Amino acid sequence: MADSVKSDVKTNGFHKTTNGHHTEELKVAIIGQSNFAAEVLEVLLEREHIVVGVFTIADKGNREDILATTARQHGIPVFKFAAWRRKGVPIPEVLEQYRSVGANLNVLPFCSQFIPMEVIDGAPYGSICYHPSILPLHRGASAISWTLIEGDERAGFSIFWADDGLDTGPILLQKQCPVFGDDTLDTLYKRFLYPEGVTAMAEAVDMIAAGTAPKIPQTEIGASYDPALFREENQYINLNQPAVRIFNFIRGLDSVPGALAIVEMDDGVELPVRLYGASLSARRSMTNAKLIQFKGSVGPAFVTREGIFISGTDGTLVRVKRVKRGNRVIPAGQWFEQSDTKVTPLELSDKEKEQDLTLRSIWKSILKVEIETETDFFACGAGSMDVVRLVEEVKDTLEVPISNETLFMAPMYGEFLQEVIIRLRTGGSDPSATIGCDYKHVVLKANRRQISVPTQMFINGRFIDAEGTKTIAIVNPTNEQVICEVAAASKTDVNVAVQAADDAFRGVWSSVSERERGLLMYKLADLMEQHKEELATIESIDSGAVYTLALKTHVGMSIDAWRYYAGWADKIEGTTIPVNPARPNHVLTFTKKEPIGVCALVTPWNYPLMMLSWKMAACIAAGNTVIIKPAQVCPLTALKFAELTVRAGFPPGVINVLTGTGSLAGQALADHPLVRKLGFTGSTPIGKRIMASCAESNIKKCSMELGGKSPLVIFADCDLEKAVRLGMSSVFFNKGENCIAAGRLFVEDRIHDEFVRKVIKGIKSMKIGDPLDRATAHGPQNHRAHFEKLQEYCTIGVKEGATLLYGGKRVPNIDGFFFEPTVFTDVEDHMYIAREESFGPIMIISKFHGSDFEALVARANNTEYGLASGVFTKDIQKALLFAEKIEAGTVFVNTYNKTDVAAPFGGFKQSGFGKDLGKEALNEYLKTKCVTVEY
């Protein structure tokens, strides 16, 4: 029905109407309850209608209905009746109190009581009632639910003139809205029925005051009267019907009281459960699913990480997200992980005991009862608005991030207190994401510390064994002893991790704002800072890194990376683009930068934690979820890092760590169709294979940081002492296991011999030994295969005629993979060691004559690699010409190895493409969407 237009003016206590009649001024009695009725009262008062009395339900314990509270604030008489009738007869004293206010119009915005006809007809202008359906369809107390259960395409409400029937009186006005596919009882109520209903009740009173309110008799065509769903026997779902009917029934009872079903347990017990959060699923296959049996279901039902899937008679699946089992609402996907065993109460600190008292006072102010550990929020009569109030008060008072879901999952006070305290302890993370101490781990006793390090894979917020509990040995390169066994991921494990990352990306991670994302990253960086000595110790034991270098670079630069990209998280922006629209239309075109989705990272063994952080920090800042496959031979810092991500509050599935081999786990990530981006650092041959896999699988985006043979040119006009010191660092830094290491030094002939002499002298002063010794400058190579490759490399160099001036062999009289710092001179451009990367502490020196700059640059560029380069000279023109002509992604002038998290890092040619670090790295983990709007 079209809305009527009010047109009236007030005159001395009467309303003058458009038809010329005068009516006595309205004196409204509001009969009802709830926030809805309270808001109707507020709106009527705003429109200057006179409300002479409010009639509502009796208090529940010490808790009165909000309608009564609101009325008293406005000085309006309040009457509370437990009932209006006794044995079907009006209670005389109730009638007397009603009549005492002298109302001439009854307004029933939300009324759950049976009101006698003596009251309904006792007001001269009658009684109007709000009903949440398009009458005559769905008469009865559960109309909103039945609108959804029956699959109606339109919902709405009616304001009708009450009579002695059940919702059968004449219609005053009606309003409608479409029912969307994702609507539930809650969304319909909040989106339309509540806000529009409040306004419409006030409009109806305006129309009565103006004398324009119609009375349209209800037709019996299409009329229905549906069973009341507050009766438990009507809440059971019929599972022997098509999926859409099952879906509609569940959403019709979501979130109160919930559709009832019976699970038939393996031991024969029939367990009642309530189902929430239904959707029609497009899935047809159930990978890694477990069977669950519902009573009365003719088709199978499955449990996966995504929820419970129930088959309709048509074969279509209905997904259920949440299940109420006993007193608790749990994620349906955790059905087999949950039990009814009680959680051991937390030991509260003095501060937490004060927080307990604060929390109890909030509960008591809402429920008006004494709060005990077993107090059930909903059993005390709390409604949806009470949930909102509790959540907001707790968030504001205790500064802890919780949601309505927190209360649904823990409705009893003791459980709720535990949830809140754990979140306060973990800085706001979900308690379900916390990890206990029951995961498998190794205790490293070193550096005056005892460090617990996980040895299982980290998937979906938990440390778990690999399929078949398969493991690989991790060897300490300092003494060649096995440190521990870590999980070796299978192809199935990779699929589980990718699915968890995909679920997190489409679910919990998408609801975390950019700024919240940055805060999580800052929290993680702070935790890494607190544990930096532990991380550096693990890095030394696991990869052979010198402890002091690990502390400053391996760990220090990792922390810098997380802090740097945390600052970028809420500053990723698109652009507005001026375009040329066809007149007379206007066009707005803009771009959005969006995360790619699930990203896989495969990192090398030379800087285990730093390579993880360089890539992952940018990936996470951009909003992606990630699976990292750390190097097979040194994964321990990655696993310790995973533990810190939980403490920082990252949701399950956002960050996953798969240990194992590159040929199996790494290849499976490259092949996986749900992985949309792969970031790789490693050798060029392996990079080529990964690129092919990325193309063949799903044309996934990839970035490659590959091999290098970086030239370092040292002119005679340089600062020689500095050139020697940094020239040595360019080769021997991190035992030569450095992707940008100077693979070939070109030294001008005038200073060649002096340079070499000073280098040999410097090498002899280097202390080689235990990387945990603070005086050590050179530790062991990372692992045996690499150690043996370096020996072979030197043999080839000697065979081809280069002069081995120093080193080239194992350090004598010491266990472990210690290789002597090595110097080759007289190296010609055609030799193997001049062309191929050693990735070890081997300095390759060639002479040049300073008269032909162009020929020198051509020699430096005569390689398929182009990662880094360097030049030492006091001639600025020479330096800048070199920087201009050299084919390398990084150019160092009068320095080397000086990288920063804000400076982009990456190579040219067969050293790869794409960037780590700096603002540019974000683009590796973002996609650009262009949006055009015509108006």
Side-chain angles (χ1 to χ4, degrees):
M1 157 176 296
D3 292 344
S4 298
V5 179
K6 182 179 76 172
S7 176
D8 65 346
V9 292
K10 281 191 172 183
T11 58
N12 299 324
F14 291 84
H15 274 269
K16 183 178 181 181
T17 66
T18 52
N19 60 14
H21 292 93
H22 289 79
T23 60
E24 182 183 354
E25 185 164 32
L26 295 183
K27 297 177 182 178
V28 178
I30 294 182
I31 305 173
Q33 64 197 77
S34 83
N35 286 81
F36 184 84
E39 285 203 31
V40 169
L41 169 60
E42 296 273 15
V43 174
L44 290 181
L45 294 175
E46 287 173 8
R47 299 193 182 194
E48 299 185 1
H49 291 296
I50 298 174
V51 179
V52 294
V54 161
F55 299 84
T56 187
I57 58 175
D59 292 351
K60 295 180 178 179
N62 295 324
R63 184 168 177 264
E64 71 175 5
D65 189 80
I66 191 171
L67 175 60
T69 304
T70 305
R72 200 167 48 252
Q73 290 170 351
H74 290 282
I76 298 170
V78 176
F79 303 87
K80 302 174 185 178
F81 302 143
W84 290 69
R85 301 185 301 178
R86 187 179 295 118
K87 296 182 180 180
V89 177
I91 301 171
E93 54 268 31
V94 169
L95 280 181
E96 183 179 348
Q97 290 183 65
Y98 164 73
R99 289 168 178 161
S100 69
V101 302
N104 56 24
L105 174 67
N106 295 326
V107 174
L108 285 68
F110 182 84
C111 183
S112 62
Q113 296 173 308
F114 286 100
I115 310 301
M117 289 308 299
E118 287 83 350
V119 173
I120 295 294
D121 292 338
Y125 295 116
S127 301
I128 60 170
C129 187
Y130 172 92
H131 185 76
S133 82
I134 308 169
L135 291 172
L137 187 62
H138 304 311
R139 295 169 177 166
S142 304
I144 311 175
S145 296
W146 285 103
T147 296
L148 292 166
I149 291 170
E150 293 298 330
D152 295 355
E153 293 185 357
R154 301 195 67 77
F157 59 81
S158 304
I159 297 174
F160 68 98
W161 299 92
D163 65 0
D164 58 355
L166 291 170
D167 310 329
T168 57
I171 303 297
L172 194 159
L173 68 81
Q174 291 181 323
K175 292 189 178 182
Q176 301 182 18
C177 71
V179 177
F180 300 128
D182 58 352
D183 268 326
T184 64
L185 186 150
D186 280 352
T187 62
L188 267 181
Y189 184 62
K190 293 173 183 176
R191 172 167 61 86
F192 184 79
L193 299 177
Y194 186 114
E196 293 295 328
V198 169
T199 303
M201 286 299 287
E203 290 176 4
V205 174
D206 290 344
M207 292 163 68
I208 294 169
T212 59
K215 291 186 177 182
I216 304 170
Q218 290 192 42
T219 175
E220 288 303 309
I221 299 173
S224 68
Y225 183 82
D226 303 303
L229 291 172
F230 55 77
R231 300 183 185 280
E232 187 172 288
E233 63 268 23
N234 296 328
Q235 296 165 8
Y236 282 91
I237 186 169
N238 174 14
L239 297 174
N240 187 16
Q241 57 182 335
V244 68
R245 297 286 298 173
I246 296 172
F247 160 67
N248 283 334
F249 192 88
I250 296 173
R251 69 171 175 157
L253 277 72
D254 199 336
S255 58
V256 176
L260 269 171
I262 301 292
V263 175
E264 296 179 332
M265 307 295 284
D266 291 340
D267 58 5
V269 172
E270 293 189 348
L271 181 66
V273 296
R274 293 191 181 272
L275 311 178
Y276 306 98
S279 60
L280 285 173
S281 175
R283 290 187 61 166
R284 292 294 178 267
S285 62
M286 284 286 124
T287 308
N288 300 321
K290 295 181 180 179
L291 286 172
I292 182 173
Q293 184 62 48
F294 284 95
K295 185 176 183 178
S297 177
V298 294
F302 311 90
V303 179
T304 75
R305 186 173 46 256
E306 300 171 52
I308 292 177
F309 292 81
I310 300 171
S311 300
T313 54
D314 54 357
T316 301
L317 295 170
V318 178
R319 176 190 175 195
V320 175
K321 293 182 182 177
R322 298 180 303 280
V323 177
K324 187 173 185 180
R325 178 177 181 170
N327 264 357
R328 295 176 61 87
V329 178
I330 63 171
Q334 296 179 13
W335 175 264
F336 290 107
E337 302 168 27
Q338 300 286 332
S339 69
D340 290 331
T341 56
K342 293 186 178 180
V343 179
T344 304
L346 296 173
E347 289 290 333
L348 302 185
S349 66
D350 290 341
K351 181 179 179 181
E352 289 168 345
K353 288 175 182 177
E354 293 177 9
Q355 292 166 336
D356 177 14
L357 293 175
T358 301
L359 200 57
R360 286 178 189 271
S361 69
I362 295 173
W363 275 56
K364 184 174 181 179
S365 68
I366 296 171
L367 300 180
K368 310 297 184 187
V369 298
E370 293 301 320
I371 306 302
E372 306 293 342
T373 301
E374 302 298 317
T375 300
D376 187 308
F377 193 78
F378 298 104
C380 290
S384 58
M385 291 308 298
D386 297 310
V387 174
V388 174
R389 178 183 166 188
L390 174 70
V391 169
E392 293 306 312
E393 285 195 32
V394 172
K395 284 165 64 176
D396 291 344
T397 306
L398 297 181
E399 297 182 353
V400 58
I402 62 170
S403 64
N404 294 8
E405 199 83 356
T406 309
L407 182 61
F408 292 143
M409 296 293 186
M412 298 178 69
Y413 178 76
E415 298 169 339
F416 186 80
L417 171 65
Q418 298 232 131
E419 296 274 330
V420 170
I421 294 299
I422 292 175
R423 285 171 191 255
L424 287 167
R425 289 180 180 180
T426 58
S429 63
D430 188 334
S432 65
T434 58
I435 53 175
C437 299
D438 57 345
Y439 57 83
K440 295 178 183 177
H441 61 280
V442 61
V443 177
L444 304 181
K445 297 179 180 180
N447 211 13
R448 299 184 299 278
R449 299 173 182 277
Q450 291 193 38
I451 307 168
S452 174
V453 183
T455 57
Q456 296 167 291
M457 305 178 304
F458 182 70
I459 298 177
N460 206 29
R462 297 170 55 228
F463 287 105
I464 60 174
D465 286 330
E467 184 181 33
T469 64
K470 187 175 180 182
T471 61
I472 51 176
I474 304 301
V475 175
N476 184 338
T478 300
N479 56 25
E480 302 179 55
Q481 295 179 2
V482 173
I483 303 170
C484 62
E485 300 273 338
V486 300
S490 68
K491 189 174 180 180
T492 299
D493 295 323
V494 170
N495 188 58
V496 172
V498 172
Q499 192 65 57
D502 189 59
D503 291 346
F505 178 73
R506 300 178 190 284
V508 63
W509 197 228
S510 65
S511 65
V512 175
S513 72
E514 291 82 354
R515 193 155 299 170
E516 290 171 326
R517 204 157 64 219
L519 291 174
L520 285 172
M521 295 173 71
Y522 279 124
K523 179 75 179 296
L524 176 59
D526 290 345
L527 284 166
M528 292 170 73
E529 182 89 51
Q530 293 168 26
H531 294 267
K532 64 182 179 181
E533 290 85 3
E534 289 184 8
L535 292 168
T537 302
I538 298 168
E539 203 88 322
S540 294
I541 294 171
D542 196 21
S543 73
V546 171
Y547 176 75
T548 51
L549 177 64
L551 203 59
K552 179 180 181 295
T553 301
H554 289 233
V555 179
M557 201 170 183
S558 298
I559 296 168
D560 288 347
W562 283 98
R563 286 184 175 145
Y564 175 78
Y565 284 109
W568 270 114
D570 62 352
K571 300 171 187 68
I572 298 171
E573 302 170 342
T575 56
T576 303
I577 304 170
V579 295
N580 190 20
R583 288 183 171 84
N585 294 335
H586 300 275
V587 170
L588 170 65
T589 296
F590 60 92
T591 61
K592 296 179 63 183
K593 296 284 189 179
E594 297 181 348
I596 292 173
V598 177
C599 298
L601 306 177
V602 179
T603 51
W605 40 260
N606 57 329
Y607 294 102
L609 184 63
M610 193 174 81
M611 290 293 99
L612 174 154
S613 298
W614 278 23
K615 294 182 185 298
M616 192 186 294
C619 177
I620 292 296
N624 302 283
T625 55
V626 65
I627 305 105
I628 186 166
K629 210 296 287 180
Q632 170 183 339
V633 292
C634 49
L636 297 186
T637 44
L639 292 171
K640 188 66 177 178
F641 168 85
E643 179 186 305
L644 297 181
T645 67
V646 177
R647 297 185 185 180
F650 280 86
V654 174
I655 294 172
N656 306 273
V657 180
L658 287 175
T659 50
T661 65
S663 59
L664 200 161
Q667 186 64 48
L669 286 169
D671 293 337
H672 203 289
L674 284 181
V675 174
R676 294 297 173 184
K677 161 68 199 279
L678 190 143
F680 174 75
T681 294
S683 71
T684 297
I686 299 299
K688 290 178 179 180
R689 281 164 45 191
I690 286 178
M691 278 190 67
S693 298
C694 289
E696 292 170 3
S697 58
N698 60 348
I699 316 186
K700 59 173 60 71
K701 186 177 182 180
C702 59
S703 54
M704 299 278 158
E705 199 257 279
L706 306 175
K709 191 67 176 174
S710 301
L712 173 58
V713 176
I714 301 175
F715 286 98
D717 64 352
C718 70
D719 177 338
L720 185 59
E721 295 299 326
K722 183 178 182 182
V724 170
R725 176 169 49 84
L726 293 179
M728 290 180 64
S729 174
S730 75
V731 176
F732 304 130
F733 186 83
N734 200 48
K735 313 161 287 172
E737 296 170 356
N738 189 24
C739 52
I740 59 171
R744 188 177 182 190
L745 275 65
F746 295 89
V747 182
E748 192 169 351
D749 52 8
R750 289 164 50 199
I751 62 169
H752 176 274
D753 292 349
E754 181 67 6
F755 179 86
V756 171
R757 186 184 66 79
K758 288 180 178 290
V759 166
I760 298 296
K761 180 181 177 182
I763 290 175
K764 290 179 178 178
S765 69
M766 292 169 60
K767 180 175 180 180
I768 301 173
D770 183 358
L772 289 172
D773 186 330
R774 303 308 192 261
T776 296
H778 188 79
Q781 304 309 133
N782 186 276
H783 55 281
R784 178 177 294 281
H786 179 56
F787 176 77
E788 293 173 349
K789 175 192 167 189
L790 294 178
Q791 293 175 312
E792 181 184 355
Y793 188 90
C794 291
T795 300
I796 294 172
V798 171
K799 185 177 181 180
E800 288 192 329
T803 301
L804 177 61
L805 278 186
Y806 193 91
K809 62 183 184 300
R810 177 193 283 268
V811 176
N813 305 316
I814 186 172
D815 292 332
F817 306 129
F818 289 92
F819 194 83
E820 290 182 335
T822 299
V823 178
F824 275 101
T825 59
D826 303 317
V827 178
E828 301 295 332
D829 291 357
H830 67 274
M831 292 180 178
Y832 176 83
I833 62 173
R835 293 180 288 107
E836 295 300 324
E837 181 180 29
S838 70
F839 214 64
I842 302 174
M843 183 178 284
I844 307 298
I845 302 176
S846 298
K847 286 183 186 178
F848 74 92
H849 192 277
S851 62
D852 194 343
F853 180 83
E854 296 296 332
L856 171 66
V857 172
R859 290 180 71 190
N861 283 333
N862 187 24
T863 172
E864 273 300 300
Y865 298 109
L867 189 55
S869 61
V871 59
F872 280 84
T873 178
K874 292 177 181 177
D875 186 336
I876 188 64
Q877 182 183 29
K878 215 181 317 188
L880 292 179
L881 278 173
F882 178 84
E884 179 183 313
K885 294 180 178 295
I886 197 70
E887 297 168 353
T890 297
V891 183
F892 298 111
V893 178
N894 292 327
T895 189
Y896 209 88
N897 281 331
K898 190 172 280 297
T899 54
D900 187 90
V901 293
F905 181 93
F908 299 163
K909 300 189 286 190
Q910 290 196 44
S911 286
F913 55 88
K915 297 295 182 184
D916 288 325
L917 304 183
K919 179 181 178 181
E920 287 192 37
L922 291 167
N923 292 326
E924 305 297 330
Y925 300 97
L926 292 166
K927 58 190 179 187
T928 302
K929 178 182 288 181
C930 183
V931 180
T932 297
V933 181
E934 186 173 271
Y935 60 98

